[in-house]
Amino acid sequence: MSVKAFELVPAVEREKFLLDKSKTEIECIECCGKNLYVGTDNCFVFHFKLEEDHIGGRTTYHCTKQGHKFLNLRKPIAQLKAASALNRIVVLCDGILTFLNMFDLEPVLSGSKIKGVTCFCLNENPARANPFSIEICVALKKKVLQIYTFTEDKMIHSRDVVISEPALTLSLDGAFICYATANEYNIINYEDGYKQTLFPYDSDSDPHTVPYVKRISKEEFLLSGPNALGMFVTTAGISQRPPLQWNEGVSSVGYKHPYLLAMNDEFITVHSIIDQQQKQTMPFQGKHLGDFDGKIFVASSREVYALVPIAWQKQIQALLGDKRVEEALELARNSPRAGLSQDKFQKTLKRIQLQAGFIQFAENQLAEAKDLFVMGDLDVRELISVYPSLLPIQSGFTRSVPPLHEIPNLVTLCSGDEDRMVQYKDFLVDYLQHIRDQNSQNRLEIDTALLKIYAETNSAQLVDLIGSQCSCDLQEGVDHLQKYGCYFSLGLLYKNNKEYDKTMQVWSRVQDGHYNDEHFPGLDFIVEFLSSLSDHDLVWKYADWVMEKDQELGVKIFTQRPSDEVITEKMRPDNVIDYLHRFPKSVIGYLEHLVFTNRLEKEKYHTHLAVLYLDHVLQLIKNTNIDKQLINIARSKLKHMLQVSNLYRVQLILSKVKETELYEECAILYGKLEEHEKAIRILVHKLRNYEEADKYCLFNSEGKEATYRKKLFQILLGVYLDPSYERRDLLIQPAVLLLNSKESTFDTLKVLQLLPENWSVGLLANFLLYSVRHSLNDARTTHIQRMLLRGENLNKKQMLIELKRHPVNMTEDRLCSVCQRGFSDCSFAQYPNGVITHVHCAKNKTICPVTGRIFKTTQPRK
């Protein structure tokens, strides 16, 4: 793929070389700053001064001849190199290396000539410490490479490197010499002598392969290989880039990042080192091409031209115009940044990425377009503007100038293809979702576009969008949601804008079936909304409507209020209960919330709930066709309430229960009145539920003294063994089980008094064994406690005797050692070292406050 990367601009015209109408031809050139040097075939060296002008975006050159020098060797000038550090020009002619002054072209270092030279090169990456010296590598005809160091006034021969064949061309980087012989390329380290053969070539079978070595960067060379390949090689002898395919017979190479320019007898070709592709071809019959301090000059036999690079921005725009996106982006990332600050370069690069993104967008390469839009920090409004009617009405956006793309709108782009339109809308949704949380500046445009697309497609994501603080304009959103029948989302939009009454108007009509919306979650959602609403007038406005639809669900409006809500007069529990009397299920649910959830300790709420539970149970019992499981559930609630609450009016409930056959409930109520014998007789005689009788004793004695538990079990045993009960024989077994139970406790003497005389010892073996062991354990424990107390008493007596041996006389003159004040009463503190203080002055019992002495185990006397 071609791109115009360079253009030829005349630098030195033919007339400048005419000397006495001689037919002078150019052999080589060299440039240093504004100084251009030309070597000719008749042994002349010309010096020109170049002035560069930029007019109308074009570059022109004007040259002025500064002088010329005839070397009197009658041979062509083979090679020129400028050494600006020494103001010297190094000239190779007829195998002789000569040094000329850069400005007057006069010879310097007279007598310092090197003969028998085939080629030479300067070290552009020297390791020398002296900046005013140069290092030159010279190839001699006698198979030797010589290293020289030149200063202002002398030439130093550093070392010789012997090679197997004469070098035809070479280049030097640091201590590494890369050179070509007649049949192979080699690289050698002249410091340690290590040599490596890179690759061979056959100049006889491939006469078009001209050996050439070019240093292109630090520790990297470019070699002209067989089959017209440009081979990259490092000083380590490896290749880190793919080879270039160029024309045959390449004789000169120049490098200006990211391009390599190669010249043969007919053409100059431009290659990219990024993708190794040929980018430009220019017909040119040249003699020499070279790069000099970032500039590239090429010479024909009579004229010198500059190869002026086209601005990389223009190259990129040309590539984008041809829709060569990847090449344009690669060139942008690898282009020289001379004259551009980092910020300006990044800004330019991002604009190129956006242009490339819109090209990919137009070509339906949507994944690539998204990546480029993200990398280029696209103003999302630029993309939304392509989609008709998606920008909000109040947006004042205008497209970028100059434009980033030539897409008028999506309809024109898709040419009526509905499937393609859907793809583009899906792409926009995906992109907007990706950047929504990161782009707060354009939230209005983003949310409006998403809302319109979601509404149009009836997407479930519309609910999530509006529920996440949608920034869409209210009226514009309302119009669009109504247009597409998105009524649940419409209510959410009103809710976000605190239009709560309108919210309920919309949702109530959806619930009543006037509107249809498949995304509406139902009455539960409305109840949840009303329960969180702080506008209590609006809550009461819709409370009847909800209650008439579902009492059990509607009561949640009052039971699921926010915990931090300020209770107003309208939400006082008494007012809510009065209102809920019309809805029996709801009032029970609300009272349960007050009693069990909020734990309000008010007798009227507890009594009210117990009465409602009881009435509900009695109502179910009267209905002969009712499922017994429903009765059991209702009775479980009633019994739980009667057991756990201590605030209801027991006598009131008992008066109602005694008239029924609710014996378990009656037993619980007798227990609340501490009438345990009546309760236990109901459980034993009426219900014959002996296990429940055991549980009754445990439950009612929980958290109380052991004697209370003994009392309850004693009552239960007495009921079992009551001789007046006509069916007492049936109670022998539960009585024995009770006596042998590990959970029951008794006063053994009272039990023995109750037991019938005809009971055998074997029947009571477990009970008697346990009682004896328990009694022995109590006796031993009591004995141990008595002995411990006696020992403690003796210790106290000993302490008292010790204190009396060393009495402390408290007189009116006695002062506290800490505060130096007298004692107002007889209380004081004495440390083991005799220091006496007030009790409140003895702050640390283990450290003397006067001397600081530490007492680890002793305490002050008080």
Side-chain angles (χ1 to χ4, degrees):
M1 302 289 289
S2 63
V3 63
K4 188 175 181 181
F6 294 87
E7 60 180 354
L8 281 170
V9 176
V12 181
E13 299 174 353
R14 165 177 190 177
E15 290 77 10
K16 302 292 184 179
F17 297 102
L18 296 179
L19 295 171
D20 299 327
K21 299 182 180 181
S22 62
K23 296 180 180 180
T24 303
E25 292 190 2
I26 299 172
E27 290 292 329
C28 57
I29 58 176
E30 172 69 2
C31 184
C32 182
K34 294 183 178 182
N35 299 291
L36 178 69
Y37 301 91
V38 179
T40 66
D41 62 342
N42 53 6
C43 205
F44 276 90
V45 177
F46 288 85
H47 175 202
F48 298 95
K49 186 174 183 180
L50 293 180
E51 295 291 342
E52 184 177 329
D53 293 326
H54 301 277
I55 302 174
R58 296 184 63 84
T59 301
T60 60
Y61 286 91
H62 302 281
C63 72
T64 304
K65 182 179 176 182
Q66 303 297 304
H68 64 273
K69 181 68 176 179
F70 178 60
L71 299 186
N72 199 26
L73 295 174
R74 303 299 179 182
K75 293 286 186 177
I77 303 296
Q79 199 173 350
L80 292 173
K81 287 292 181 182
S84 58
L86 302 178
N87 294 328
R88 302 286 186 265
I89 293 293
V90 187
V91 183
L92 175 61
C93 181
D94 195 19
I96 300 174
L97 204 62
T98 308
F99 296 85
L100 304 180
N101 185 285
M102 182 178 284
F103 302 108
D104 59 14
L105 301 182
E106 291 300 321
V108 295
L109 294 176
S110 58
S112 299
K113 294 181 179 180
I114 306 174
K115 297 181 180 181
V117 178
T118 59
C119 58
F120 75 96
C121 67
L122 272 61
N123 193 344
E124 299 178 35
N125 181 31
R128 65 182 185 273
N130 184 3
F132 299 104
S133 66
I134 61 172
E135 190 173 65
I136 296 179
C137 180
V138 175
L140 302 181
K141 297 177 183 178
K142 54 183 180 179
K143 304 179 185 179
V144 175
L145 303 178
Q146 293 183 334
I147 307 297
Y148 291 88
T149 300
F150 290 86
T151 62
E152 184 75 24
D153 54 359
K154 60 182 177 180
M155 176 179 70
I156 303 171
H157 181 192
S158 302
R159 68 184 67 207
D160 290 342
V161 179
V162 178
I163 56 179
S164 58
E165 296 290 335
L168 304 180
T169 182
L170 77 168
S171 188
L172 180 60
D173 184 286
F176 292 92
I177 307 169
C178 185
Y179 65 95
T181 64
N183 53 20
E184 66 181 13
Y185 285 95
N186 298 278
I187 192 166
I188 189 168
N189 186 325
Y190 70 74
E191 289 185 346
D192 58 19
Y194 176 75
K195 177 185 173 183
Q196 184 177 1
T197 299
L198 300 176
F199 58 86
Y201 70 94
D202 190 348
S203 58
D204 296 329
S205 62
D206 188 10
H208 296 292
T209 300
V210 179
Y212 189 85
V213 180
K214 167 73 176 177
R215 178 186 180 273
I216 63 167
S217 65
K218 184 179 179 181
E219 299 180 351
E220 186 174 20
F221 303 98
L222 175 64
L223 315 179
S224 178
N227 301 318
L229 288 177
M231 309 290 291
F232 295 94
V233 64
T234 66
T235 55
I238 60 174
S239 180
Q240 294 179 331
R241 305 176 196 262
L244 292 175
Q245 183 68 59
W246 54 27
N247 294 333
E248 294 180 342
V250 170
S251 58
S252 297
V253 175
Y255 174 64
K256 183 172 179 62
H257 185 79
Y259 295 115
L260 274 168
L261 295 90
M263 185 181 74
N264 63 5
D265 294 339
E266 298 180 351
F267 300 100
I268 298 174
T269 54
V270 180
H271 307 261
S272 171
I273 66 169
I274 300 170
D275 57 11
Q276 289 73 46
Q277 299 299 311
Q278 182 174 315
K279 302 297 182 181
Q280 184 181 2
T281 302
M282 293 176 280
F284 190 85
Q285 294 181 349
K287 299 280 286 187
H288 184 81
L289 181 147
D291 56 85
F292 313 98
D293 297 329
K295 298 178 181 179
I296 298 179
F297 290 95
V298 61
S300 65
S301 59
R302 297 296 180 90
E303 296 175 320
V304 179
Y305 294 85
L307 281 166
V308 179
I310 303 298
W312 60 272
Q313 294 92 333
K314 291 183 179 180
Q315 297 180 48
I316 290 169
Q317 292 305 318
L319 290 169
L320 291 175
D322 293 338
K323 298 182 180 179
R324 293 155 60 185
V325 172
E326 292 301 326
E327 291 182 69
L329 292 172
E330 199 67 38
L331 178 58
R333 285 190 285 265
N334 293 277
S335 293
R337 307 178 188 182
L340 290 179
S341 65
Q342 181 66 19
D343 290 343
K344 191 170 183 180
F345 174 78
Q346 287 298 325
K347 185 177 180 181
T348 304
L349 177 59
K350 287 183 177 181
R351 179 175 176 82
I352 293 168
Q353 289 170 334
L354 294 180
Q355 289 178 281
F358 276 107
I359 291 173
Q360 299 285 48
F361 178 80
E363 295 295 315
N364 205 27
Q365 303 295 321
L366 300 180
E368 293 81 356
K370 178 182 176 181
D371 293 339
L372 290 168
F373 288 156
V374 172
M375 288 189 291
D377 291 337
L378 172 68
D379 183 341
V380 69
R381 298 174 297 177
E382 188 80 41
L383 178 60
I384 297 174
S385 68
V386 175
Y387 294 74
S389 304
L390 287 192
L391 277 175
I393 296 173
Q394 64 191 57
S395 175
F397 172 75
T398 56
R399 291 189 179 183
S400 174
V401 178
L404 291 171
H405 57 88
E406 298 178 355
I407 305 172
N409 57 62
L410 194 63
V411 176
T412 304
L413 179 64
C414 295
S415 302
D417 188 338
E418 291 296 329
D419 292 338
R420 195 175 177 192
M421 286 278 287
V422 171
Q423 288 181 2
Y424 277 111
K425 288 183 179 179
D426 290 343
F427 165 76
L428 180 62
V429 168
D430 178 62
Y431 181 72
L432 295 180
Q433 289 174 339
H434 176 76
I435 67 167
R436 183 171 183 257
D437 294 334
Q438 308 166 13
N439 195 329
S440 59
Q441 185 177 359
N442 298 315
R443 265 306 269 280
L444 172 65
E445 287 81 359
I446 294 173
D447 287 357
T448 301
L450 284 173
L451 182 142
K452 290 180 178 180
I453 295 176
Y454 287 156
E456 183 179 345
T457 58
N458 194 27
S459 171
Q461 293 176 299
L462 178 61
V463 174
D464 297 330
L465 172 69
I466 297 177
S468 60
Q469 299 301 316
C470 178
S471 300
C472 175
D473 176 71
L474 176 61
Q475 190 55 50
E476 189 171 5
V478 168
D479 294 341
H480 218 76
L481 293 173
Q482 286 179 336
K483 177 181 177 181
Y484 292 101
C486 302
Y487 295 106
F488 175 52
S489 298
L490 176 60
L492 287 176
L493 187 61
Y494 279 131
K495 175 177 174 287
N496 286 352
N497 288 272
K498 303 187 184 306
E499 299 276 356
Y500 301 128
D501 197 4
K502 292 183 179 179
T503 298
M504 284 303 303
Q505 290 176 21
V506 173
W507 285 348
S508 62
R509 293 183 68 82
V510 176
Q511 181 65 34
D512 289 339
H514 300 296
Y515 297 146
N516 292 321
D517 190 337
E518 63 184 38
H519 300 299
F520 182 65
L523 189 62
D524 293 28
F525 190 83
I526 294 178
V527 169
E528 182 181 349
F529 168 67
L530 289 174
S531 68
S532 63
L533 200 59
S534 59
D535 185 351
H536 294 165
D537 291 330
L538 187 61
V539 173
W540 285 109
K541 179 179 178 180
Y542 286 94
D544 274 356
W545 175 78
V546 175
M547 287 294 181
E548 288 171 0
K549 293 185 177 299
D550 192 327
Q551 290 187 37
E552 293 182 358
L553 187 60
V555 74
K556 293 181 179 179
I557 296 174
F558 305 101
T559 61
Q560 295 183 353
R561 308 299 302 172
S563 58
D564 58 348
E565 182 182 48
V566 178
I567 302 299
T568 62
E569 182 64 26
K570 293 182 179 180
M571 281 295 168
R572 285 181 57 247
D574 291 347
N575 292 337
V576 175
I577 292 172
D578 291 343
Y579 165 73
L580 292 177
H581 274 143
R582 295 160 40 200
F583 310 101
K585 293 181 179 178
S586 295
V587 74
I588 290 176
Y590 185 68
L591 285 170
E592 287 175 341
H593 171 71
L594 296 179
V595 171
F596 299 122
T597 304
N598 287 357
R599 300 183 182 278
L600 292 183
E601 296 184 352
K602 286 191 176 183
E603 176 270 327
K604 60 180 179 179
Y605 299 145
H606 287 248
T607 302
H608 194 171
L609 180 58
V611 170
L612 290 177
Y613 277 158
L614 179 58
D615 292 344
H616 181 56
V617 170
L618 296 176
Q619 186 178 1
L620 291 175
I621 292 174
K622 288 179 182 179
N623 189 346
T624 56
N625 296 324
I626 199 71
D627 187 352
K628 288 186 177 181
Q629 188 172 357
L630 294 177
I631 298 176
N632 293 335
I633 293 173
R635 290 189 67 182
S636 295
K637 286 187 175 182
L638 174 59
K639 288 186 287 185
H640 175 72
M641 173 67 190
L642 296 178
Q643 281 183 330
V644 301
S645 175
N646 295 316
L647 298 174
Y648 58 89
R649 294 165 60 188
V650 180
Q651 291 289 1
L652 174 65
I653 306 301
L654 183 60
S655 64
K656 293 177 176 289
V657 172
K658 284 197 300 186
E659 300 173 359
T660 67
E661 294 183 357
L662 302 176
Y663 297 122
E664 290 181 58
E665 290 81 351
C666 190
I668 293 171
L669 292 169
Y670 277 127
K672 292 290 182 179
L673 294 173
E674 295 287 328
E675 297 181 15
H676 298 298
E677 186 172 350
K678 290 182 179 180
I680 290 173
R681 286 188 181 277
I682 290 174
L683 294 173
V684 173
H685 295 162
K686 296 287 187 182
L687 297 175
R688 297 178 184 175
N689 192 337
Y690 313 123
E691 182 180 352
E692 193 64 33
D694 290 348
K695 291 180 180 178
Y696 175 89
C697 295
L698 292 171
F699 178 80
N700 284 276
S701 63
E702 187 176 354
K704 298 182 180 179
E705 295 179 357
T707 55
Y708 194 86
R709 174 170 292 192
K710 285 183 179 181
K711 173 185 173 183
L712 293 183
F713 278 109
Q714 199 75 31
I715 293 172
L716 176 57
L717 182 62
V719 171
Y720 282 151
L721 301 178
D722 184 3
S724 63
Y725 183 57
E726 56 188 20
R727 304 183 66 180
R728 57 184 176 274
D729 293 342
L730 298 175
L731 301 179
I732 294 175
Q733 183 178 359
V736 173
L737 292 174
L738 178 64
L739 287 171
N740 294 327
S741 172
K742 293 182 179 180
E743 293 180 340
S744 57
T745 58
F746 296 95
D747 185 329
T748 306
L749 292 177
K750 292 182 179 180
V751 170
L752 293 175
Q753 293 173 0
L754 285 174
L755 292 177
E757 294 180 356
N758 59 346
W759 279 22
S760 66
V761 174
L763 191 64
L764 300 173
N766 289 337
F767 168 71
L768 294 174
L769 182 61
Y770 172 77
S771 298
V772 170
R773 287 178 177 175
H774 185 69
S775 177
L776 288 173
N777 181 67
D778 286 346
R780 290 167 181 166
T781 301
T782 303
H783 178 72
I784 292 171
Q785 289 176 343
R786 185 170 64 253
M787 293 298 103
L788 289 173
L789 291 173
R790 180 180 295 178
E792 185 178 358
N793 181 260
L794 290 174
N795 288 335
K796 295 296 182 182
K797 288 181 177 180
Q798 182 183 3
M799 290 176 61
L800 180 61
I801 293 171
E802 291 293 332
L803 291 173
K804 287 182 177 181
R805 287 181 181 177
H806 307 284
V808 178
N809 296 320
M810 300 297 294
T811 63
E812 294 180 355
D813 298 332
R814 172 78 70 172
L815 299 178
C816 173
S817 299
V818 176
C819 65
Q820 298 301 316
R821 295 179 181 177
F823 293 85
S824 58
D825 54 32
C826 61
S827 63
F828 64 92
Q830 184 183 31
Y831 284 88
N833 61 352
V835 174
I836 296 176
T837 69
H838 289 115
V839 174
H840 61 269
C841 289
K843 295 180 180 179
N844 193 323
K845 299 179 180 180
T846 60
I847 301 176
C848 175
V850 177
T851 64
R853 183 178 173 184
I854 298 175
F855 310 102
K856 293 185 178 179
T857 57
T858 58
Q859 295 183 349
R861 298 168 59 190
K862 294 186 179 179

